Amino acid sequence: MLQTIPKLSIKPGYRPQSDDKTPEADAIDFYRLRQLTNSQRWQMGAKLIRWAKTLSLRGMRKACPSNYPEKFAQSVLGSKWLPNLTPTNDSSMWTQDPSEIARLLHPIFETLGIPYYITGGVAASVYGDPRTTRDLDLVIELNRDNIAQLVEALETAGFYCPPGAVEDIQNGRGRVLSVTHMSLVLNADIVLNANTEFDRSKMVRRRLEALDEAGIEQFWIASPEDIVLAKLLWRKQSRSQKQWTDVLGVMKVQADNLERAYLTECAEKLGLIDDLNLAFIEAGI
């Protein structure tokens, strides 16, 4: 049965997600996205990722039959690729989406008592407009003195942890540990939480959300309001159009469910109020 779309009111200033889409078509797409659960939206994004990886793998196997594993790993991992991260196992394992690496990391964090949340493109797909994303971004609450215990658990689970990054974290020079699973060609950027009011708030406000199709497996994910604010901050630094599109996607889907008072208060403190007000206009809410 075809879904009946109600007559949608589009406010002045509404901005579609892409230049080749009309406001009316965009509004209909987001009406449909609002009817889905968080896990259903993520599954849409996960299928896009697996489809893109499958096509890439087929093309590289045909074009580079002698070294396609290396070429594929380079395309997936980008600047994070190293020769020892070229997979040698069954290629059917190489097209997983980032939720697979979340399934491996979640029990490690839970066992070690490390609070965490997922952010970045995965969180934006859960709360907003599903899209492809290269890796998984997580923030953890961890004392630098305990990083060795985490690294040991990660390596036992099949992850490669760059020694230089581990040393930088131990010595207080860095906050990011980029880990790659040796057989799944999956990467995760694990970031130590910063000691700011906003960063502490994000950890407190994280939510348990399901990512699997059955809606059973749950993972800690940053709140939609904090994803909006974080991406506005990243955009301010990078001027990335992708960050702005993610912001509008989350706001269009969450709409009246967003805690506007919290958004406004934090945006004023972070110097983002003009950007947030523009986002409200372009999201049509």
Side-chain angles (χ1 to χ4, degrees):
M1 180 181 295
L2 293 176
Q3 184 181 21
T4 302
I5 306 295
K7 184 175 178 58
L8 301 174
S9 175
I10 301 174
K11 295 183 179 180
Y14 183 94
R15 178 173 178 170
Q17 297 296 90
S18 60
D19 293 336
D20 61 351
K21 184 182 288 187
T22 66
E24 292 76 16
D26 191 82
I28 289 172
D29 285 345
F30 276 94
Y31 170 81
R32 290 175 172 144
L33 284 173
R34 283 192 293 273
Q35 312 313 305
L36 303 178
T37 64
N38 291 339
S39 60
Q40 286 173 329
R41 282 189 294 272
W42 165 245
Q43 284 303 312
M44 289 178 64
K47 288 175 182 177
L48 286 173
I49 294 168
R50 294 193 295 268
W51 173 77
K53 283 187 173 182
T54 299
L55 286 183
S56 176
L57 181 58
R58 287 175 183 172
M60 290 181 182
R61 183 185 282 121
K62 184 176 181 180
C64 312
S66 62
N67 65 340
Y68 71 88
E70 178 179 320
K71 294 294 185 182
F72 179 75
Q74 288 177 328
S75 71
V76 173
L77 300 176
S79 62
K80 298 168 185 175
W81 176 82
L82 294 171
N84 65 323
L85 299 179
T86 298
T88 58
N89 59 333
D90 184 349
S91 62
S92 64
M93 299 293 291
W94 306 352
T95 57
Q96 303 293 328
D97 63 79
S99 59
E100 188 61 36
I101 201 170
R103 292 187 183 96
L104 297 173
L105 292 173
H106 175 80
I108 293 175
F109 295 144
E110 292 290 290
T111 299
L112 296 178
I114 299 174
Y116 81 92
Y117 62 79
I118 294 171
T119 185
V122 171
S125 291
V126 170
Y127 296 129
D129 191 7
R131 66 169 175 85
T132 60
T133 184
R134 187 185 292 270
D135 50 22
L136 183 70
D137 297 312
L138 307 103
V139 175
I140 64 172
E141 194 73 62
L142 181 70
N143 188 300
R144 293 176 186 273
D145 296 336
N146 297 327
I147 189 65
Q149 184 183 25
L150 173 60
V151 169
E152 180 182 2
L154 290 169
E155 291 178 342
T156 300
F159 287 94
Y160 171 75
C161 303
V166 175
E167 183 178 341
D168 284 347
I169 291 174
Q170 290 173 323
N171 294 333
R173 294 191 300 263
R175 292 178 46 235
V176 181
L177 179 62
S178 183
V179 303
T180 303
H181 196 272
M182 303 288 285
S183 60
L184 295 179
V185 202
L186 286 171
N187 177 268
D189 285 339
I190 303 174
V191 182
L192 269 63
N193 201 25
N195 188 27
T196 70
E197 181 181 0
F198 178 48
D199 288 293
R200 292 192 297 270
S201 175
K202 285 187 286 184
M203 188 64 72
V204 170
R205 300 179 74 258
R206 64 191 177 132
R207 301 179 177 184
L208 264 179
E209 299 283 0
L211 295 184
D212 63 310
E213 291 189 75
I216 298 174
E217 292 182 298
Q218 293 186 315
F219 305 87
W220 289 102
I221 302 181
S223 74
E225 294 83 7
D226 290 324
I227 291 300
V228 167
L229 292 165
K231 285 188 168 290
L232 286 177
L233 274 176
W234 294 334
R235 174 181 177 268
K236 193 172 185 178
Q237 299 165 2
S238 66
R239 310 313 300 174
S240 168
Q241 182 59 36
K242 180 173 68 175
Q243 305 299 341
W244 187 251
T245 302
D246 280 346
V247 165
L248 295 185
V250 172
M251 295 179 78
K252 289 174 183 178
V253 170
Q254 299 302 316
D256 293 338
N257 293 325
L258 290 169
E259 293 184 36
R260 293 188 67 150
Y262 173 81
L263 277 170
T264 300
E265 180 183 355
C266 288
E268 288 176 342
K269 291 179 180 179
L270 296 168
L272 299 171
I273 193 63
D274 290 342
D275 291 336
L276 178 64
N277 287 336
L278 178 60
F280 275 123
I281 293 172
E282 295 195 356
I285 58 177

